Amino acid sequence: MLGHAVTDVLEEGVDAVGEGLAEVAGAGAEDLGGVLGALGVLCGLAGAALVMGLPVGDLLHTVLDAEGALCSADLATPPAAEAERRIAALAEQAAPFLKPGAIVSDVGSTKAELHGAIDRIRMPEESVYVGSHPMAGSEKSGFEYADARLFEGRPCFVTEGDAPNRKATEAVEDFWTGLGMRVTRTTPQLHDRMVAWLGATALALLLFGIGLRFHLRELIAVWRLAVPGALIQSTLSTSALAVLLHFMGWDWASGFILGMAISVASTVVMAMVLTEWHDLHAKIGHIAIGWTVVEDILTVALLLLLPIIFSPDRSMDQNIGAVLGLAGIKIVGLLAIVVVLGKWIIPWALERIAKTRSRELFTLAVLVLAVGIAVGSAKLFGVSMALGAFLAGLAGGRSEF
């Protein structure tokens, strides 16, 4: 497939310019949407073309003379390893050099903001921006992890703005299809929602698996250390950063908000580190996970309090006690539901499903359990999906299955 893509690109005379390295032809990247540029694709393809004996002179000219290449490029992409605002700025710098009818694209992982920014740029006649988000790569990087089939069968989203150019969109779709990707056309807003949902779901499933290997009694056993430890650490971290920022010219409100954000450790990161060091089920692992769960609960209360504490309308009669009480009720209610689900409902349901002897049905039931409790916890109780999934794992772990 890669050989055919090289032949198609070079024979049809498609000229592309962007930023990247030859490793993109096969070297796995941690996030292709964060480091891949169209020039990187074609540089990698050029390497394959040389092996096949195909002409690549025009392509090498594109690499060596970026400004000249922009003047004749059919497809141009800003560097992908930049934030959306930086990509838009680079696209604006390149706009004067684009030929009429050129297509501007990118390979970033968010699209709505980028579409809005690039749509405001003065482009040459009939030039248009079409967003791309190829989803390929791995957690490993470097030439030693090169994979000639990096793109084959992998998904790629192509997004078009409010005034779509069908011909340009189809051209970008053909480019990625030629590399073997499965292309889906969508709107920038829907793309961003889908990507955010996929990211949240992946974290939720990770925490669900960790929760399955824990037991409530393991967390309860460390509450005397985890609860006061989390409270003291969060308070000290928040206060120290607020004081430091105050000396740097920040106001107290901004300093405390940033301090509260930084003082909360990530349960996901903590669990991954503990797993890597084989300490997840050690005493220190129980304490660390219990500590971060307490911080997650504190975050729920803080998110409810912030709009009240820093509200510009001081005439409103805000009852902080009522808000804290509501947060407490939600948290206690969530924990009670988890206990009930874990002790009676989930074991009963899984037992009935296990009697069907259908592995597919059982797997689907566990997936629905994980995602359902995670989403329900987020919607009804205001906690993160990750914490909800972790609690779902705790509940499911009480079952013999």
Side-chain angles (χ1 to χ4, degrees):
M1 175 65 75
L2 185 59
H4 292 303
V6 174
T7 305
D8 292 342
V9 169
L10 294 178
E11 287 184 353
E12 293 177 10
V14 175
D15 194 10
V17 61
E19 182 172 308
L21 295 173
E23 69 170 10
V24 182
E30 291 186 6
D31 178 8
L32 185 65
V35 297
L36 174 62
L39 178 61
V41 176
L42 292 187
C43 283
L45 295 179
L50 287 171
V51 175
M52 298 169 61
L54 297 174
V56 293
D58 291 341
L59 182 63
L60 294 179
H61 172 73
T62 297
V63 177
L64 297 174
D65 182 12
E67 183 175 312
L70 277 172
C71 295
S72 60
D74 300 300
L75 173 65
T77 71
E82 303 281 358
E84 283 70 19
R85 292 179 181 176
R86 176 63 176 158
I87 292 177
L90 291 171
E92 186 173 13
Q93 294 174 17
F97 303 102
L98 295 174
K99 71 177 185 180
I103 302 171
V104 176
S105 188
D106 76 304
V107 286
S109 56
T110 60
K111 289 290 176 281
E113 182 180 350
L114 193 54
H115 266 274
I118 295 183
D119 286 345
R120 293 189 292 269
I121 297 174
R122 193 182 202 90
M123 292 282 195
E125 183 180 358
E126 296 183 1
S127 294
V128 65
Y129 167 70
V130 179
S132 301
H133 183 192
M135 292 181 168
S138 73
E139 76 283 1
K140 299 176 181 178
S141 62
F143 288 100
E144 64 271 25
Y145 300 107
D147 180 6
R149 299 180 178 272
L150 176 65
F151 302 111
E152 288 192 20
R154 303 302 295 272
C156 177
F157 289 101
V158 172
T159 60
E160 50 187 8
D162 297 332
N165 183 317
R166 300 298 181 187
K167 185 177 179 180
T169 303
E170 291 172 359
V172 174
E173 290 175 337
D174 290 343
F175 176 81
W176 293 112
T177 302
L179 295 177
M181 305 199 80
R182 295 182 289 107
V183 178
T184 300
R185 186 186 304 185
T186 184
T187 65
Q189 295 75 17
L190 182 57
H191 164 271
D192 289 356
R193 287 197 295 269
M194 287 190 295
V195 171
W197 171 257
L198 286 173
T201 302
L203 290 177
L205 293 176
L206 172 64
L207 265 294
F208 176 75
I210 292 173
L212 284 174
R213 291 177 287 172
F214 267 86
H215 294 285
L216 282 174
R217 63 175 179 271
E218 293 176 342
L219 292 181
I220 294 174
V222 299
W223 74 269
R224 287 186 176 86
L225 181 59
V227 173
L231 290 172
I232 294 172
Q233 177 258 315
S234 297
T235 301
L236 292 178
S237 300
T238 300
S239 302
L241 185 57
V243 171
L244 177 62
L245 293 175
H246 182 70
F247 284 115
M248 296 174 62
W250 288 45
D251 60 81
W252 286 108
S254 300
F256 275 109
I257 292 176
L258 182 60
M260 285 185 287
I262 293 179
S263 67
V264 178
S266 170
T267 305
V268 177
V269 174
M270 183 67 71
M272 293 177 64
V273 171
L274 290 171
T275 300
E276 183 177 347
W277 287 89
H278 305 289
D279 286 329
L280 187 61
H281 295 289
K283 184 71 172 180
I284 186 64
H286 298 164
I287 295 173
I289 294 297
W291 195 299
T292 55
V293 168
V294 172
E295 291 183 340
D296 286 337
I297 294 173
L298 287 175
T299 302
V300 175
L302 291 173
L303 290 175
L304 291 172
L305 284 174
L306 283 177
I308 297 175
I309 297 174
F310 299 106
S311 173
D313 188 359
R314 299 298 181 182
S315 63
M316 297 178 62
D317 184 15
Q318 302 285 7
N319 193 332
I320 296 180
V323 173
L324 288 176
L326 177 61
I329 292 173
K330 285 185 174 183
I331 293 170
V332 171
L334 176 60
L335 295 177
I337 290 176
V338 168
V339 171
V340 172
L341 288 174
K343 191 170 184 179
W344 291 291
I345 298 178
I346 291 178
W348 175 84
L350 293 181
E351 182 180 359
R352 297 297 184 278
I353 295 172
K355 288 181 179 180
T356 66
R357 298 185 179 278
S358 172
R359 183 181 297 272
E360 293 79 9
L361 182 60
F362 191 86
T363 301
L364 179 61
V366 173
L367 182 62
V368 170
L369 168 69
V371 178
I373 295 180
V375 174
S377 300
K379 296 294 184 181
L380 299 177
F381 298 97
V383 301
S384 65
M385 281 186 60
L387 177 59
F390 176 74
L391 295 176
L394 287 177
R398 297 172 65 91
S399 168
E400 63 179 301
F401 303 100

